[in-house]
Structures are given as C-alpha cells and as structure tokens.
Amino acid sequence: MKVAKFGGTSLADAGQIMKVLEIAKADADRRIIVVSAPGKRSKEDIKVTDLLISCAQAMLKSGKADEELGRVVARFADIQKELGLSVHLLAEIEKDLRERLAGDRTHAALFTDSIKAAGEDYSARFVAAAFTAKGLKAEYVSPRDAGMLLSDEPGNAQVLDEAYPKLAKLRDRQGVMIFPGFFGYTKKGKVVTFPRGGSDITGAILAAAVKADVYENFTDVDSVYAVDPRIIPEAKAIELLTYREMRELSYAGFGVFHDEAVVPAVKAGVPICIKNTNRESAHGTMIVPERPYTAGGVVGISSSDGFCTLFLSKYLMNREIGFGRRLLQILEEEGLSYEHAPSGIDNTSVILRNDQLTDAKEKHVVGRIQKELNADDIEVERGLALIMVVGEGMRYTVGLAAKATHAFAEGGVNIEMMNQGSSEISMMFGVKEVDRKRAVKALYGAFFG
Ligand code: ASP
C-alpha cells in the first residue's frame, strides 16, 4: 500500500486534478491520496488557504465576509465547471462555508482553524467526485471518522498517539481513499490545523499508521536540490537522502517538504519519495533511514531568514549556578520557543524565530531578564539568517569547517555565529540576512563547485 500526497499546485485547477487522476490510476497500490487545498495557478494567484484566512479575518473584524467568501466559492466553481461536476457539490460547499463562518467566534484561533481547514476538506470532496466521474471509484474520507486526533493547539497541532491505531484501520477499507490534509480534530471534537504546509504531515501520519511501503509526496519540482535553485539555478538534484539529512535541511528553508513530516515516517521506518506531478518520469528524491556515503560528503546547503538573537552578559556568569535554567524558564513562561543557545564565559545568547518576539514581547522579556537575572547588558539583534551545511559524510571528516569558513571569507561574509559539533551531520552558521545569498553561493562553490 502506498500513500500519495499532492500539494496545492497539483490541485490548482481541473487540468492538474486530471494529472493526479492519471498518477493514481497508474499504480493500484496508491490507495490513500492525501490532498492540499487548491494552490496557485500562476505567480499572481492566491492560494485557497490564504483566501480562507482572509475570510476568517474579515469575519473576526467586522462580522461580515461576503466578498471573501465569494472568492473562495469562485475558485471551486471554476474547478467544478471545468471538471463537469454536479452543481450540487458546489452548493454544498458554499452552504458549509457559510455555516462555518456563522460559527462560534469567541476563540479566534479555533474559529480561524475551522475556516482554514475547509480548503482541504472541499478539495478532497472534489477530487473524490472527479475520480469517480472519470471511472476510478474513490471515496472521500472524513478525518473525524478516521480518527485523526490532534492536540488542542490551533494552527500548530500535533498528532496524538492514540490516533495511530484508529487510522491503521484504513487498511481494511476497499478502493481508493481521498483524505484531506492539514487538519484533524481535538478530543473535544474541535477542528484544528497543523502549521502551514501541514498536509505533508497528514500524509506522513497516514503512511506511518497504515505501514505504507512508501510515502509519495507529489509536488511541483523534479526533486530536492542541493541548494535553493532560486539562489543557484543549476543546483544539483539529490537522489537519495537520509531522514536526518532531510530534517536538518528542511529546518532551515528547504520548503519542498515540511520538517515535522519527517518524524512519523522515521518512527515507522517508511521511506519517503518526493516526486513531480507535472513530470512523473523525473527520478525524484528518496528519503530513507540509511544511505551509503563517502567521507566529507556534503549533501545540501539550506538557509533561512527570520531569526533574532538575544545577547546577555553578566560578569562571573560562568560561576552562577542555575543562570541558564532561569533564563530559559523566563522564555518558557513567556511562551517563547528557543532555537539555539550558543554561550560564552560571561555571556550567553539565545536564538529565536523573529516572528515570535514582537516589539512588545521583547520589551517585556528584556525587562524580566534585567530584573530577575540582574544581567549587566541585554541586547536583541534582528535580521539573522541561519545556514545549514548538511551531510552524513561529514562525521569524523577533518577540515570541513576550515573549508566553509574559507568560503565565507572569500565571499566577504562575516560569520555572526557558528555551531559545529552539536550535530554529527551538520554545521550551522548565523549571518546577517543581507549576506545570506552571497554566503550560500560561496559555500556551494566550495562544496559542489
Ligand atoms: N493548504 C495548507 C497551506 O497552504 C496546507 C498545505 O497545503 O499543506 O498551508
């Protein structure tokens, strides 16, 4: 049994949905098809999920969202017409969306999730109807009935362990199942979504639950590339990656596959295959538990903007027992998740995601640290980018850091932070956002040039 997940661009219009049908038909083992909401048809287009978020925001702000609702319905109407599907289906989704919008708005995040999730839900209903109309019997599966149980964290939910045995029963169903990605239900029956791009996570959970032979992730690129092709157009395609390599690469900017989606597949040992809906003949990238590697082999370089650093100094910090714990406890109490914590003797720093630390939050947190930890100096620096150099072959290899730092020097990039050794298979560098692309080019030249 295979689980095949299709991203938004693969479902953006009728032509794309027909490609998905051909792929499903080509292999009878593709029994579970996980779908995203319709994505962009062109560069200027808007994803259905973003249209839905606008609906929720308008409703929360003014109690009205007719215009926004009209745009969502129009997207599905285009697909319905092009595919020749029943107008009843369109009427049903419009009615459903109106009901969702009229729902309880007291908890803004839960309300937003119930609207956001509609894109995947309608997409799955449309795909099931389209497949059946074209002769491949397919059934829409409700995540509620199937047991996609998630934690009570709107917009950031995680699967509960007890979901797995329930979802495993999908194995006993007949025919092709169309499962909407991106959302599930809390134990109290509320709709909650994964983080953005989370249909990848749904697919991985299902693949793990049914013990699929492979989890196929269909997207709009031929494979995973050694570096972002927007930075290096001729970037080398990667044929084989380990889970660990994929996790580390997708942590910092490898947008092809959601970083959290690796976890369920790892636990169940299900290989992942990234493929292109628009060119099924392309080799794709396989992500597996182990792979042969050569010493020194760097497999990929990823990079991401959007980090900031909280610097702290206090004389004799190194002798103060519990300083680190108390610092991290403040962050915990303030609901801030920290990414890294490189430290010195009388100073320490914590790297956070920029978007978490609003200006008001920064002021408050800095005030607390000042007061509770008696720090001599505290500074927040925005605009940090992280760069990861990743490869199984990096363990025990001498001279890799020298090669990387030499490349930074050649590219004229100042290294703000360096973390080598925490992970056996990667090195991490922090640079100013303005230097990120130049740094990546220099590193690519050094390791792949
Ligand atoms: N539609 C959702 C998003 O745009 C989830 C997904 O496509 O994976 O984030």
Side-chain angles (χ1 to χ4, degrees), residues 36 47 49 120 182 196-199:
S36 280
K47 289 172 103 178
T49 308
E120 270 66 15
F182 191 40
R196 289 299 303 268
S199 297

Side-chain angles (χ1 to χ4, degrees), residues 118-132:
E120 270 66 15
D121 201 50
Y122 304 159
S123 181
R125 289 175 195 274
F126 269 54
V127 169
F131 278 23
T132 305

Side-chain angles (χ1 to χ4, degrees), residues 303-311 350-357 359 362 379-387 413-417 429-439:
S303 67
S304 173
D305 288 342
F307 295 88
C308 62
T309 315
L310 181 72
F311 289 103
V350 182
I351 297 175
L352 304 150
R353 293 213 184 246
N354 222 355
D355 53 4
Q356 290 189 90
L357 197 67
D359 290 343
E362 173 184 330
E379 254 171 70
V380 174
E381 207 173 290
R382 305 268 178 179
L384 183 78
L386 292 184
I387 300 177
V413 176
N414 184 39
I415 302 171
E416 302 280 319
M417 185 275 295
F429 299 92
V431 299
K432 290 221 159 44
E433 283 178 353
V434 288
D435 289 336
R436 177 175 66 88
K437 287 189 184 151
R438 207 151 27 97

Side-chain angles (χ1 to χ4, degrees), residues 5-9 35-39 47-50 52-53 116 119-120 181-183 193-202 258:
K5 179 258 167 181
F6 292 85
T9 52
V35 297
S36 280
K47 289 172 103 178
V48 164
T49 308
D50 291 315
L52 288 163
I53 291 172
K116 255 157 88 182
E120 270 66 15
F182 191 40
F183 73 96
T193 68
F194 293 117
R196 289 299 303 268
S199 297
D200 283 351
I201 307 176
T202 307
H258 201 291

Side-chain angles (χ1 to χ4, degrees), residues 151-302:
S151 64
D152 201 348
E153 293 167 279
N156 198 25
Q158 297 196 38
V159 69
L160 301 180
D161 285 343
E162 57 208 89
Y164 284 101
K166 294 189 199 301
L167 295 168
K169 299 213 175 80
L170 290 175
R171 273 200 91 91
D172 307 332
R173 297 202 193 186
Q174 300 299 312
V176 175
M177 292 161 259
I178 315 290
F179 201 104
F182 191 40
F183 73 96
Y185 291 83
T186 64
K187 279 187 172 169
K188 287 190 180 147
K190 297 274 183 218
V191 177
V192 276
T193 68
F194 293 117
R196 289 299 303 268
S199 297
D200 283 351
I201 307 176
T202 307
I205 292 165
L206 293 176
V210 301
K211 307 229 166 356
D213 298 311
V214 61
Y215 169 31
E216 295 177 310
N217 195 282
F218 283 89
T219 174
D220 52 8
V221 290
D222 282 352
S223 65
V224 175
Y225 293 92
V227 70
D228 188 340
R230 285 169 302 186
I231 303 177
I232 312 265
E234 64 283 5
K236 196 174 151 275
I238 307 177
E239 290 191 358
L240 198 59
L241 273 174
T242 65
Y243 294 135
R244 298 191 331 150
E245 288 171 329
M246 190 64 203
R247 161 78 179 113
E248 302 228 5
L249 289 167
S250 57
Y251 168 77
F254 262 44
V256 180
F257 193 63
H258 201 291
D259 60 342
E260 288 183 33
V262 181
V263 183
V266 173
K267 285 193 185 152
V270 178
I272 303 163
C273 181
I274 310 281
K275 300 230 1 139
N276 191 349
T277 305
N278 304 317
R279 217 153 67 91
E280 220 221 322
S281 59
H283 191 279
T285 301
M286 280 302 286
I287 307 164
V288 293
E290 304 286 341
R291 71 171 179 92
Y293 56 84
T294 50
V298 168
V299 77
I301 300 164
S302 63

Side-chain angles (χ1 to χ4, degrees), residues 394-407:
M394 289 170 69
R395 11 172 156 205
Y396 321 120
T397 310
V398 176
L400 287 180
K403 201 167 173 179
T405 49
H406 184 70

